Amino acid sequence: MSDEAIKRALEAQNAITKHSRLLDVAALSVRSPMLEAVRSLHENSALKQMMADVERSQAMMRMASGPLEDLRRAGIFDHGSVLARTMADFSARFRLPEIAETARLMAQFRSSPAAEALKRYAEQTSSIQSAIENMRTPWLDVQESLRSMGGFAALQGIGHALKGMPAFGHDLEAALRVDLGDWRDTITWPPAIFTDLGARSDFYIERGFNPALTDFPAAAFEESLDIAGLRREPPPLVDLYGSPIPASNDDDEEESLARTNTAHDWLLRLETQMRRFIDQQMTNAFGPDWPKHRLPNGLYDKWQEKKQTALQNGGREWPLVAYADFTEYVLVICKRDNWSVFAPFFDRPESVRESFQRLYPVRLDTMHARPITQDDELLLYVETRRLVKVMIEKK
């Protein structure tokens, strides 16, 4: 590596150490200066290893795009810093296609394997073309245009399907597993995925997550979500059922972790809806004392203890279900002698587990005020919309 590359790597390391509480991107930032060094190497075995690092750096940039944009907007690093240049290099991969070339791009896309996304979600090419024409920020990868088209089309298809298909129907679940991965089996969560962006990306891809869905600059990803209707109108807040996730009191974090704060709000709203849903369905089936008789072993005492502790600390009194942890909703719903109450909504217990497991990493990171990625955002918006839709549709 050249002296200049080493200097830039150290500069990045110092900048990141200063703000490590907000985002651990040291691996990304040290590798990014290697790009210049790689170009100067001759064709040999060392070059092949360096190119592997380049590929890893590009994958990390996809994961870090959203969190880095939060930091940039908060003024955490200067426009001339290594991180700013890394972001600029990533953004330079993308362009906004001219309206006149959209028809040609669509023709190429329709004849490619990526067009399978349209069939999965019963989407029309005319809708995709209209969505492309509504984009105002660069989103098309200069070197991998068909991959970008496939990711963009799948995003739009997911939004279209969530409006018109049963939220927990077999067809939509099967389609989502192609793009979001198969999360049905009980997962043992590797601790590294909650603090290491690369480990999280690898973990999601191992589940079957399609990285093309989120391989866009942050602004383009946000715009594509809006056009797809995936992040519009967060769930209504049900005040009666509490505030599951305490908001951060740190002004710097509030400013710097914009995506985390938005996710916090969506999850808070989702949890109040879920608590009301469970309480209403169980009360209708078993009466208002259902928690005493229908909870899995130990949960009733646990909720009562949390309630008493909260009241002793001056907290407001909520319905008992409001003292549930995020992972306990599935235990209540899927309990064998409760399942008949919820089967008309979800069809299969593994469908409930899958939805909540897709939400678990982003829920845990928002609870601890850690940055979330664009992959996390997509899983959050899709699964929140599915859960809220099924709860509202079948009231």
Side-chain angles (χ1 to χ4, degrees):
M1 183 182 295
S2 69
D3 290 342
E4 176 63 21
I6 293 172
K7 179 180 178 181
R8 290 176 60 190
L10 291 174
E11 176 188 343
Q13 183 65 51
N14 291 337
I16 292 160
T17 299
K18 182 178 178 182
H19 302 288
S20 60
R21 183 170 60 91
L22 297 177
L23 181 62
D24 182 9
V25 292
L28 164 67
S29 301
V30 171
R31 281 181 176 133
S32 294
M34 290 184 180
L35 294 173
E36 291 187 7
V38 167
R39 297 189 187 103
S40 67
L41 292 175
H42 297 291
E43 184 67 35
N44 54 31
S45 59
L47 175 59
K48 293 180 181 179
Q49 181 58 51
M50 294 294 280
M51 287 305 296
D53 287 339
V54 171
E55 292 174 359
R56 177 63 169 172
S57 177
Q58 290 172 342
M60 286 294 294
M61 191 62 227
R62 179 186 67 81
M63 287 294 292
S65 181
L68 284 175
E69 179 63 16
D70 276 353
L71 297 183
R72 186 195 66 78
R73 290 173 179 172
I76 298 299
F77 53 85
D78 298 330
H79 291 292
S81 69
V82 170
L83 289 179
R85 292 196 295 272
T86 300
M87 290 181 67
D89 289 344
F90 176 71
S91 297
R93 283 175 41 196
F94 302 89
R95 66 183 181 86
L96 187 65
E98 299 289 339
I99 296 231
E101 68 175 312
T102 302
R104 177 178 59 80
L105 287 170
M106 287 303 304
Q108 293 176 342
F109 172 68
R110 282 195 298 268
S111 62
S112 73
E116 287 295 318
L118 300 179
K119 298 177 183 177
R120 286 198 296 277
Y121 300 109
E123 181 66 295
Q124 302 297 315
T125 55
S126 59
S127 297
I128 302 300
Q129 183 165 337
S130 175
I132 290 173
E133 292 170 351
N134 284 326
M135 287 291 290
R136 296 293 178 267
T137 52
W139 63 273
L140 187 70
D141 193 317
V142 173
Q143 296 182 343
E144 297 187 76
S145 60
L146 286 178
R147 183 173 182 272
S148 287
M149 289 284 291
F152 183 84
L155 280 177
Q156 302 307 311
I158 291 171
H160 171 79
L162 285 173
K163 295 172 188 173
M165 299 172 71
F168 282 81
H170 175 76
D171 290 343
L172 180 55
E173 287 187 341
L176 289 175
R177 287 186 193 117
V178 174
D179 287 309
L180 304 184
D182 190 334
W183 299 64
R184 286 173 289 182
D185 292 339
T186 300
I187 295 172
T188 300
W189 303 98
I193 71 170
F194 301 110
T195 55
D196 184 318
L197 298 183
R200 188 181 309 182
S201 175
D202 292 342
F203 178 80
Y204 285 2
I205 291 172
E206 286 170 5
R207 307 267 76 71
F209 187 91
N210 175 12
L213 293 167
T214 57
D215 196 8
F216 303 101
F221 180 65
E222 293 170 3
E223 189 176 12
S224 64
L225 289 176
D226 288 338
I227 292 174
L230 288 172
R231 68 169 192 167
R232 297 176 188 166
E233 300 174 4
L237 183 68
V238 187
D239 184 62
L240 176 63
Y241 285 90
S243 178
I245 308 174
S248 169
N249 293 320
D250 189 317
D251 290 340
D252 289 338
E253 286 191 356
E254 289 294 314
E255 182 180 14
S256 302
L257 300 178
R259 282 173 177 75
T260 304
N261 295 329
T262 299
H264 168 278
D265 182 57
W266 275 66
L267 285 163
L268 184 152
R269 293 166 180 271
L270 171 63
E271 290 204 52
T272 62
Q273 288 284 348
M274 180 57 63
R275 289 170 174 184
R276 177 173 68 175
F277 170 72
I278 291 173
D279 198 25
Q280 288 180 343
Q281 300 306 317
M282 293 294 285
T283 298
N284 291 341
F286 305 112
D289 287 337
W290 70 265
K292 186 178 295 185
H293 309 289
R294 311 299 297 194
L295 288 177
N297 290 339
L299 269 192
Y300 179 75
D301 291 338
K302 178 181 177 182
W303 292 3
Q304 286 284 13
E305 182 178 345
K306 290 173 66 176
K307 178 177 180 177
Q308 292 307 313
T309 299
L311 292 176
Q312 290 170 9
N313 292 331
R316 174 180 168 182
E317 184 172 3
W318 312 99
L320 190 60
V321 70
Y323 299 92
D325 290 336
F326 183 81
T327 56
E328 292 166 352
Y329 306 130
V330 174
L331 299 180
V332 176
I333 292 171
C334 295
K335 188 172 183 282
R336 186 182 300 274
D337 55 355
N338 293 341
W339 178 244
S340 61
V341 175
F342 299 102
F345 298 89
F346 299 107
D347 295 333
R348 293 166 293 278
E350 61 266 26
S351 299
V352 184
R353 181 169 58 244
E354 181 170 48
S355 183
F356 275 90
Q357 288 191 148
R358 284 178 179 154
L359 287 169
Y360 181 72
V362 65
R363 201 278 182 181
L364 191 64
D365 275 358
T366 58
M367 183 176 66
H368 292 285
R370 290 193 289 254
I372 63 170
T373 68
Q374 291 176 178
D375 293 1
D376 295 321
E377 285 186 275
L378 180 58
L379 294 172
L380 167 67
Y381 295 134
V382 170
E383 294 307 325
T384 298
R385 292 220 169 278
R386 291 179 71 209
L387 289 166
V388 171
K389 182 178 181 182
V390 79
M391 288 187 287
I392 290 176
E393 274 187 349
K394 296 189 178 183
K395 275 187 179 180

